[in-house]
Amino acid sequence: MDIIEERRENEVLLLLKGRLDINASERLEKEVTHWLSLEVVKKLILDMENVEYISSAAIRVLLYAQKNLHKDHELIIRNPSKFCRQVFEVTGADIFLKIVL
């Protein structure tokens, strides 16, 4: 999995590309935890347009991050690939995650 970071004032965009399998989930967790722990970052956007596969481990990372957000922070899943959308729907994760098409 590749991650490209783009920072703007109080938001960070992470462009994700490749497979979010169990190994990549560890890296994703570190990135998400890092950015959401910073007071200056109020919005973390994960662009998942180029994610070809997402595992249950990666979904767990996203749900855990969403559940433990500070009340003035926001986690957004942007442009999820067709595969990711299907997995979010089947698992019910789409109910808890903020997904923007």
Side-chain angles (χ1 to χ4, degrees), residues 9-11 33-43 70-73:
E9 295 180 26
N10 65 348
E11 71 178 45
T33 301
H34 167 73
W35 290 114
L36 291 177
S37 70
L38 300 176
E39 284 298 316
V40 70
V41 176
K42 301 298 182 190
K43 185 184 295 186
H70 296 285
K71 54 182 159 174
D72 62 340
H73 286 118

Side-chain angles (χ1 to χ4, degrees), residues 16 20 28 32 36 44-46 48 54-69 73-81 83-101:
L16 308 178
L20 282 175
L28 178 65
V32 168
L36 291 177
L44 178 61
I45 304 165
L46 304 178
M48 299 181 75
I54 186 165
S55 70
S56 60
I59 292 172
R60 181 198 60 80
V61 168
L62 299 176
L63 292 172
Y64 183 81
Q66 179 65 44
K67 181 180 178 185
N68 292 294
L69 280 176
H73 286 118
E74 191 173 13
L75 175 65
I76 299 171
I77 308 299
R78 186 174 82 178
N79 300 325
S81 65
F83 182 82
C84 288
R85 284 194 314 268
Q86 290 172 339
V87 172
F88 291 148
E89 289 171 11
V90 168
T91 61
D94 60 333
I95 296 168
F96 302 101
L97 298 171
K98 182 173 185 177
I99 300 173
V100 178
L101 303 177

